[in-house]
Amino acid sequence: MTVIKKADFIHSVADALQYISYYHPLDFIRAMGAAWERERSPAARDAIAQILVNSRMSAEGHRPICQDTGIVVAFVKVGMDVRWESDQGLQEMVDEGVRRAYTNPANPLRASVVADPAGERRNTRDNTPAIVYTEVVPGDRVEVILAAKGGGSENKSKFAILNPSDSLVDWVVKTVPTMGAGWCPPGILGIGIGGTAEKSMLLAKEALMEPVDLHELRERGPANRIEELRLEIADKVNALGIGAQGLGGLTTVLDVKIRDYPTHAASLPVALIPNCAATRHVHFQLDGSGVAELPVPRLEDWPAVTWEVGRNVRRVNLDTVTPEEAAAWKPGETLLLNGKLLTGRDAAHKRINDLFARGEGLPEGVDFRNRFIYYVGPVDPVGDEVVGPAGPTTSTRMDKFTEMMLARTGLLGMVGKAERGPVAIEAIRKHRAVYLMAVGGAAYLVSKAIRAARVVAFEDLGMEAIYEFEVQDMPVTVAVDSRGESVHQTGPAEWRIRIEEMHTSG
């Protein structure tokens, strides 16, 4: 009988979570590199290049790929012939591994988990508890799959119970555009079919843990209905032209992974969960011989992709920029931001809204007049860093606050990731403001443009506090101009037509 020691299990979980914070799975990197090579959209190709360069930098520097280091999901299969040398249950042991990983002083990971989710939403400060699924199976091993699931992609999960005669493919193709770009494509779609409502969701999440192998499937051809569905869905989703970061392009999904399960004759439950450009998961086994050993990838395994600022860029001084200057920026134009900008995301916006509702003003030292706000929750710095990885968060969550911020604070513009909704776009047009987009999934690369950082308000909110960043040549794209034109509408529309023309002519 195999004996698994508590210390070995906890140590392995902690090591694995650190490992996936800075190492992409190599199958994902290869697929992303292939997408970069075939991409014809300049904006999408630039975004993929930033993601790949960021990935290599994270692997070299052992710092998080994305500032959202995720909520931990653990799939644990315990062999029937295993005996535990532990005074704790599996949930407690996984949580201790999470705690150690996320508070590791050499590479602290952002604590994003909040307790009392429908009330106070108090940050647990160590990213516990994890989501743990356990299965008892034959054998004398413990098999563990760990994933760190970011909020931007998890929030785009979809579920439906279709009629048995409905087209699953049609539902997926109709649903993906409703997800916007907050899940940071190109990524992977996990689809669960059958079972019951909760079973299909679990199947979709488990499917995301499988290797990226769509290119191999294309080469050998499908062997069953599930493989046929994978190819059909991937082709039809990519034909939508959504592209990297929703800017329009050839590749929206790198792979489609599907798991199914028998279901009731009257039902067709379908779940859809995306993995983003910060796909993070790892698989290991424990056999009683000690801590799990994880293979260290070689830097040579990353594609030889470089990212440089192009010639046709506009440098912007954030300390002196005027509304008239911002009004001249064109949709899709690349800007390099220099100077000081403030940060703020969900919790900070709510607090500001509450202050105004009580007839109070902004906190002392916070002045948004003719300034920009960056939607971000950074990782804590280490060593000589002024801030840890600090990529953008999904901007649509701040849409309901946009009118308030533009009307009452004098804010000139916003920086975030993905598209803005109709309410926010109308507020931007009304107030002649602008919205700029940074690349999601390039957090470590973005952080290198931040030269100074200090907390100016709401320090108790941790990563959601208001910071002042001083940036140098921070790359962004004009996503919504002062007239309300959005590249997240025009880009995919253009590339949908181009892709159709390519297929017709080909």
Side-chain angles (χ1 to χ4, degrees), residues 146-369:
L146 286 174
K149 197 67 166 61
S153 60
E154 189 70 5
N155 289 350
K156 302 302 182 178
S157 302
K158 303 293 181 181
F159 170 76
I161 296 185
L162 305 180
N163 292 321
S165 61
D166 290 343
S167 167
L168 178 146
V169 174
D170 288 350
W171 178 80
V172 173
V173 175
K174 179 181 177 181
T175 300
V176 169
T178 70
M179 292 159 46
W183 61 283
C184 289
I188 302 160
L189 297 182
I191 299 175
I193 309 170
T196 53
E198 79 285 0
K199 180 64 174 180
S200 65
M201 294 297 288
L202 182 57
L203 289 168
K205 185 61 67 68
E206 289 180 303
L208 289 173
M209 305 300 110
E210 297 175 2
V212 178
D213 62 353
L214 191 70
H215 59 295
E216 296 174 9
L217 175 57
R218 287 192 190 283
E219 290 174 2
R220 64 174 171 79
N224 52 51
R225 178 57 181 151
I226 291 296
E227 292 185 345
E228 291 174 356
L229 283 173
R230 287 178 58 196
L231 289 172
E232 183 179 2
I233 291 171
D235 289 343
K236 289 185 174 180
V237 168
N238 282 332
L240 294 171
I242 295 168
Q245 304 290 302
L247 295 170
L250 299 181
T251 304
T252 302
V253 292
L254 301 172
D255 204 343
V256 175
K257 314 301 296 188
I258 301 176
R259 288 196 177 189
D260 67 352
Y261 196 86
T263 191
H264 192 284
S267 303
L268 181 56
V270 183
L272 173 61
I273 304 178
N275 250 2
C276 63
T279 290
R280 293 164 296 207
H281 58 85
V282 68
H283 179 179
F284 64 85
Q285 286 189 345
L286 296 176
D287 59 8
S289 62
V291 176
E293 293 187 9
L294 303 173
V296 177
R298 303 173 307 154
L299 293 177
E300 295 79 18
D301 292 329
W302 268 257
V305 175
T306 58
W307 178 80
E308 295 179 357
V309 177
R311 295 180 180 179
N312 298 320
V313 298
R314 187 195 302 258
R315 278 187 166 81
V316 173
N317 186 336
L318 294 170
D319 301 328
T320 61
V321 65
T322 64
E324 292 75 21
E325 185 180 349
W329 300 343
K330 305 298 183 184
E333 184 178 6
T334 299
L335 308 179
L336 295 176
L337 303 183
N338 291 272
K340 295 175 181 177
L341 76 168
L342 296 170
T343 76
R345 42 178 287 164
D346 310 65
H349 279 77
K350 186 177 186 306
R351 280 210 183 167
I352 292 171
N353 185 66
D354 292 345
L355 287 172
F356 288 158
R358 295 194 299 266
E360 302 175 27
L362 291 169
E364 184 178 352
V366 177
D367 185 355
F368 287 108
R369 284 175 296 182

Side-chain angles (χ1 to χ4, degrees), residues 133-157:
Y133 298 102
T134 308
E135 185 178 355
V136 178
V137 298
D140 60 355
R141 301 286 191 272
V142 172
E143 181 180 341
V144 181
I145 297 177
L146 286 174
K149 197 67 166 61
S153 60
E154 189 70 5
N155 289 350
K156 302 302 182 178
S157 302

Side-chain angles (χ1 to χ4, degrees), residues 22 62 110 175 334 370 377 429 482 492:
Y22 45 74
H62 284 195
R110 198 184 80 183
T175 300
T334 299
N370 284 339
R429 185 201 62 76
S482 61

